[in-house]
Amino acid sequence: MIKAVRGTRDLLPPETALWNFVEAAARDVFRAYNFQEIRTPIFEETQLFARSVGEETDIVAKEMYTWEDRARAQSDKGLSLTLRPENTAGVVRAYIEHKLWERGLQKLYYIGPQFRRERPQKGRYRQFYQIGAEVIGPPTAGSESPARDAEVLEMLATFLDRLGITDWTLGLNSVGCPNDRAVFNEALRKALEPVAAKMCADCQRRAVNNPLRVFDCKVPADQPIIDKLPRISQFLDEGCRKHFTEVQEILKVIGIPFTLNDRLVRGLDYYTRTAFEFTHGALGAQNAILGGGRYDGLSESLGGPQAPGIGFAIGEDRLVMSLKESADAVARKPDVYIAPLGEGMNREAARLAHELRRHDLVAELGDESFRPKKSLETASKMGARYALIIGENEVKANAFALKNLETGEQVSVPRSELARKIQGNG
Ligand code: AMP
């Protein structure tokens, strides 16, 4: 038997109702903040991720699904392509390619699958889904403003509240500008030199290649060492410090609670200044539901114009896991089960189903070979509110037996009044 590939999974009903619920809420909330949808391709040139996410990151170093595209001519080398491991790079590429800066500040959101070859576990998949957004534009459009950071964070809080997720924590940090980072990296490298040998294998590698990543370490024995390392907060220049203070001040005024966390450095190279993460207690080890931050130099590093930006990506798989709602509660059940009873009744039943569906009713259609008892059982099992019985007498009278499956009450309803009655307005 062929099974879904390790780290991928099928999303089945009724659970997909929760996914739709989350996505509909996202579209609705983002709309209120004047965001619009963007859809970029699922694969891009490998270079795009190497140059934006960063060669030294875990994602690019070991987690990408990369292949060589078939060459056009035999002498050509095939182009290296990669399934997108995240969507910010694609959005910024599109921003540059379509000169979106000519249209002023861009507020874009996306919903879709991402691919990383990580070790699968609960809440971690190789194909997973992200809901994300980016605010990006020329500095003259205000894209650098701390007001944008605060707005994005407030939008996220509103979105989580809308989903009934209340016990979240917003961790906030500033990772500074590239200049601050260079000085900080040097200080870190120095501080790590005498202690790296006592740390886990990953940290020993990080200490050399990408010292910042040491802060991602979860190994308990390493924590006392990490606690003593210098922090980026001590290295912020005047501009970054002021920017970060203003973000915090706005958040305080609009009442968005946050916790400063100067260990929060985020996994990708392109982050500058504000970095954040929302976590959720109930999720266990993989407790980060979303992360994001500023990426003020990303456009330039991809050959574009200066285009400061800030964005986030929500892990939709984890978000769905943390919902209190059950799939059954958000799934739309059939309003009516149509039961053709007796030979020759399928046609009339199909006609009625067609009419009722045009009134935005969810109608399920039975088959004339079913007995009355079986029809009603089937209807109840799928949670239909009504059963509509189509027999020869009903067709003759042009009035049909409508049974309320909650109360058991049954009435005869003329055809012209059926839709209104089922909608509950009649
Ligand atoms: P990142 O793009 O790494 O900042 O991730 C943003 C969010 O995507 C995280 O907070 C997670 O919720 C989610 N995420 C990242 N990687 C995975 C994965 N392999 N499986 C499921 N969710 C993930």
Side-chain angles (χ1 to χ4, degrees), residues 196-206 217 219 222:
K198 291 181 230 150
M199 301 180 81
C200 69
D202 275 340
C203 280
Q204 297 190 18
R205 187 175 42 83
R206 292 168 177 145
C217 175
V219 176
D222 288 0

Side-chain angles (χ1 to χ4, degrees), residues 334 337 374-387 405:
Y337 180 89
K374 179 175 175 190
S375 290
L376 290 180
E377 271 171 19
T378 308
S380 298
K381 223 174 176 176
M382 67 178 61
R385 286 192 299 124
Y386 288 96
L405 291 170

Side-chain angles (χ1 to χ4, degrees), residues 59 85-86 116 118 123-130 266-268 270-271 277-278 286-292 312-319:
I59 294 180
E86 58 94 57
R116 294 181 197 171
E118 295 190 85
R124 202 206 274 156
Y125 309 95
R126 290 178 169 180
Q127 173 171 340
F128 61 100
Y129 293 80
Q130 286 186 336
R266 309 275 309 131
L268 322 180
Y270 53 60
Y271 285 112
E277 209 160 66
F278 282 71
Q286 305 299 320
N287 67 352
I289 21 180
L290 72 93
F312 61 81
I314 305 168
E316 194 177 357
D317 306 72
R318 293 182 199 173
L319 193 64

